[in-house]
Amino acid sequence: MSDDKAIAAANKKRFLGAWPRIADELTGYLKDAKMPDNAVQWFTKSLDYNAPGGKLNRGISVVDTVEILLGKQLEGEEYYRVAILGWCIELLQAFFLVSDDIMDQSVTRRGQPCWYKVTESGIPPISHVGNIAINDAFMLEGSIYQLLRRHFKSHPCYVQFFETFQDVTFKTEMGQLIDLITAPEDKVDLSQFNLQRHSLIVIYKTAYYSFYLPVALGMYYVGITSPALHEQAQSILIPMGEYFQVQDDYLDAFGTPEQIGKIGTDIIDNKCAWPINIALQKVTPEQRRILDENYGVKDSAAEARIKKLYHELEIPAIYQKYEQESHARVSKLIEQVDETPVDGASVGMKREVYAAFLRKIYARAK
């Protein structure tokens, strides 16, 4: 294992170590309210099933940001407080994923049944989770604000924490709306697709909560409140988030299951993904007919025809050029960051916050 991978594994293990205490706090709210035992058990299972899975990159990035800004490794209760902010993002992610799986009628998530598809809850008298998952999603989101109230009410940026979560949540829901009405699985209409629409979807659905939110929380935690610095953060992190999603779209079409850890489904699911939008810009009338007849069709042969056309259109080469240009553009923005403290803050913004984020995603293969 390389040094970077070993450090990442250790950071993830440490971050996961804070979860049981956070989950106990959250279930404690139900116990304090004298909720019945099976309600407490249900909420406990929902939390543990939906929040700790995945890479946890968003939550860990809050810790990384604060440690870079303060120039030290966090310890003890200070680490726990910052980890709470990170876990609030993971709870937001869980809220989005549980809801998204219901809307998309997905079957699996992270190698196990989607929460609403669980048929053996183990909590009588209910066995099948089903539509109870809708309320569970609401409770996952509500957990964020319970934690903020309990741990950050005396923090100078308490209001900013609240408002940032609420604003980013609504932006993400706007992105989800555009995605749902642009590319419904049961009605393929490629005339609705274009790169401008794709950009709007990924910026609002992914970039704000995956890239800006972790850094913004870290900035507010250490007292960096300058609107200009937060605008600058968005100007760097939103393009980085868009680049990340283009990577994801590309790997879905061209990565192997062994490489990316999942089977790519964007083509058969009629997703408004980057490769199809590039293809639509380049096709001849005959190639457009192939797209219209095969994209979004639940058939492996149709999917193979789309992938063959992608190669004919040289989309891998176009992607390599896009990746290099995106990296250069974002790197230039990072170089322009002034690290001088402003507006009475005790610390200034650090270029390394952005550079560390970019290193995590550049030229990734999964």
Side-chain angles (χ1 to χ4, degrees):
M1 183 182 289
S2 70
D3 289 345
D4 287 347
K5 287 183 177 179
I7 292 169
N11 289 343
K12 183 175 182 179
K13 182 178 180 181
R14 190 181 191 202
F15 187 68
L16 276 168
W19 172 248
R21 182 175 164 188
I22 292 169
D24 284 346
E25 283 191 35
L26 291 170
T27 55
Y29 292 119
L30 273 69
K31 294 175 183 176
D32 292 344
K34 303 295 190 292
M35 293 291 107
D37 288 345
N38 60 348
V40 176
Q41 292 166 11
W42 187 281
F43 186 45
T44 301
K45 183 157 187 176
S46 171
L47 287 168
D48 288 335
Y49 196 92
N50 294 301
K55 301 182 185 73
L56 306 177
N57 286 338
R58 296 167 182 84
I60 294 169
S61 291
V62 181
V63 178
D64 290 345
T65 297
V66 172
E67 290 189 333
I68 291 169
L69 291 173
L70 295 181
K72 66 177 184 179
Q73 183 170 328
L74 301 176
E75 302 290 348
E77 285 302 297
E78 185 175 26
Y79 177 85
Y80 181 65
R81 275 170 59 81
V82 176
I84 288 169
L85 289 174
W87 277 108
C88 283
I89 301 183
E90 294 301 330
L91 286 163
L92 183 66
Q93 163 84 336
F95 160 57
F96 289 149
L97 297 185
V98 170
S99 305
D100 189 65
D101 287 341
I102 296 169
M103 286 181 263
D104 288 349
Q105 292 293 288
S106 300
V107 177
T108 61
R109 167 74 65 182
R110 296 168 175 166
Q112 61 183 1
C114 297
W115 177 239
Y116 84 102
K117 282 286 189 182
V118 169
T119 56
E120 295 296 333
S121 71
I123 303 167
I126 307 296
S127 57
H128 181 209
V129 173
N131 285 339
I132 298 174
I134 298 171
N135 190 68
D136 294 333
F138 298 156
M139 292 184 72
L140 289 166
E141 184 195 22
S143 297
I144 297 166
Y145 302 103
Q146 294 292 340
L147 289 169
L148 291 178
R149 271 190 289 270
R150 178 163 182 171
H151 292 277
F152 296 98
K153 204 160 191 175
S154 61
H155 192 284
C157 289
Y158 177 61
V159 172
Q160 286 93 332
F161 289 145
F162 251 76
E163 289 187 346
T164 303
F165 266 106
Q166 290 172 334
D167 180 57
V168 169
T169 298
F170 192 63
K171 281 184 165 67
T172 307
E173 291 161 349
M174 289 163 61
Q176 174 74 344
L177 172 62
I178 305 167
D179 191 20
L180 290 169
I181 64 177
T182 298
E185 276 194 57
D186 59 350
K187 185 178 180 182
V188 180
D189 181 3
L190 298 182
S191 69
Q192 297 294 313
F193 288 12
N194 56 65
L195 277 175
Q196 292 74 27
R197 179 64 64 95
H198 174 265
S199 177
L200 201 60
I201 291 170
V202 302
I203 286 172
Y204 278 86
K205 188 176 177 180
T206 300
Y208 275 105
Y209 93 95
S210 298
F211 285 79
Y212 173 63
L213 182 58
V215 173
L217 295 178
M219 291 170 70
Y220 283 130
Y221 182 84
V222 302
I224 298 176
T225 60
S226 163
L229 289 183
H230 280 268
E231 287 174 13
Q232 183 182 58
Q234 291 188 39
S235 74
I236 296 170
L237 293 162
I238 299 308
M240 200 186 301
E242 185 173 9
Y243 159 51
F244 171 84
Q245 188 58 51
V246 170
Q247 280 182 318
D248 215 50
D249 291 356
Y250 176 80
L251 291 170
D252 188 276
F254 293 96
T256 65
E258 294 76 21
Q259 175 190 357
I260 65 175
K262 64 177 182 178
I263 297 171
T265 61
D266 283 356
I267 293 172
I268 64 172
D269 287 345
N270 187 37
K271 292 295 184 182
C272 182
W274 185 82
I276 182 65
N277 283 292
I278 295 296
L280 286 167
Q281 290 187 330
K282 293 176 61 64
V283 289
T284 64
E286 176 59 26
Q287 290 171 327
R288 174 59 189 260
R289 185 179 63 79
I290 294 171
L291 291 180
D292 287 331
E293 291 177 356
N294 294 278
Y295 199 80
V297 176
K298 309 289 188 186
D299 175 72
S300 59
E303 181 184 31
R305 285 189 282 272
I306 295 292
K307 289 186 176 183
K308 181 174 182 289
L309 181 56
Y310 283 173
H311 281 285
E312 291 172 4
L313 295 170
E314 299 182 333
I315 288 179
I318 295 170
Y319 171 75
Q320 295 303 323
K321 183 172 184 286
Y322 167 86
E323 180 165 58
Q324 291 165 9
E325 290 175 348
S326 295
H327 184 269
R329 184 170 63 253
V330 173
S331 295
K332 187 174 181 180
L333 291 170
I334 293 171
E335 290 171 7
Q336 296 169 0
V337 172
D338 185 344
E339 298 189 345
T340 307
V342 297
D343 292 354
S346 59
V347 297
M349 195 56 198
K350 299 289 190 292
R351 287 184 285 273
E352 177 60 17
V353 169
Y354 304 122
F357 233 135
L358 186 58
R359 284 196 301 272
K360 287 179 186 178
I361 66 171
Y362 178 59
R364 69 189 176 100
K366 62 179 181 179

